[in-house]
């Protein structure tokens, strides 16, 4: 959702999105008209809606081994996945928020004596 959109804009719709479709299972069956209405404040609502549904369907299918194989996953999403799956040392994020969290994790790791 953050493609060509600010975090503040996404924050205005994300909780409604999760309220209506709390899991990938739910999102695979989303009514595109309703999903587009929720995403309209972000723009590109048709493209975003179709992308979210496609991503959810692919995510639930067996066989993928790297999140980058899924529809719509770029560097930001791949870095986020690595960081929150405990593989933070494998990435160098460019996004300012991810960079800050990555730096925080590095500091914790160094404080614990592991380098």
């Amino acid at each position: 959702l953050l493609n060509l959109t600010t975090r503040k804009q996404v924050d205005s719709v994300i909780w409604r999105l999760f309220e209506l479709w709390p899991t990938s299972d739910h999102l695979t069956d989303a009514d595109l008209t309703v999903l587009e209405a929720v995403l309209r404040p972000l723009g590109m609502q048709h493209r975003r809606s179709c992308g979210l549904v496609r991503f959810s369907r692919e995510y639930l299918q067996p066989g993928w081994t790297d999140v980058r194989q899924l529809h719509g996953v770029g560097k930001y999403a791949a870095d986020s996945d690595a960081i929150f799956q405990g593989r933070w040392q494998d990435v160098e994020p460019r996004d300012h928020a991810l960079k800050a969290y990555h730096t925080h994790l590095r500091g914790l790791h160094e404080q614990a004596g592991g380098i």
Side-chain angles (χ1 to χ4, degrees), residues 10-68:
V10 172
D11 286 347
S12 74
V13 302
I14 194 73
W15 299 112
R16 180 70 177 147
L17 180 75
F18 289 151
E19 179 183 314
L20 294 171
W21 303 282
T23 68
S24 292
D25 283 322
H26 292 97
L27 202 49
T28 61
D29 296 323
D31 178 325
L32 286 181
T33 303
V34 176
L35 184 53
E36 286 178 18
V38 171
L39 298 177
R40 185 163 285 113
L42 306 180
M44 302 187 309
Q45 59 271 13
H46 182 71
R47 179 177 178 207
R48 291 177 198 274
S49 297
C50 292
L52 283 173
V53 170
R54 179 176 170 187
F55 170 86
S56 296
R57 289 178 179 157
E58 290 178 6
Y59 175 77
L60 294 170
Q61 294 299 312
W64 61 273
T65 57
D66 186 305
V67 71
R68 291 172 291 192

Side-chain angles (χ1 to χ4, degrees), residues 75 79 83 88 91-95 98-100 102:
K75 180 165 175 47
D79 287 351
I83 289 169
W88 62 271
V91 297
E92 287 295 328
R94 290 187 298 234
D95 174 79
L98 287 181
K99 268 178 129 168
H102 189 266

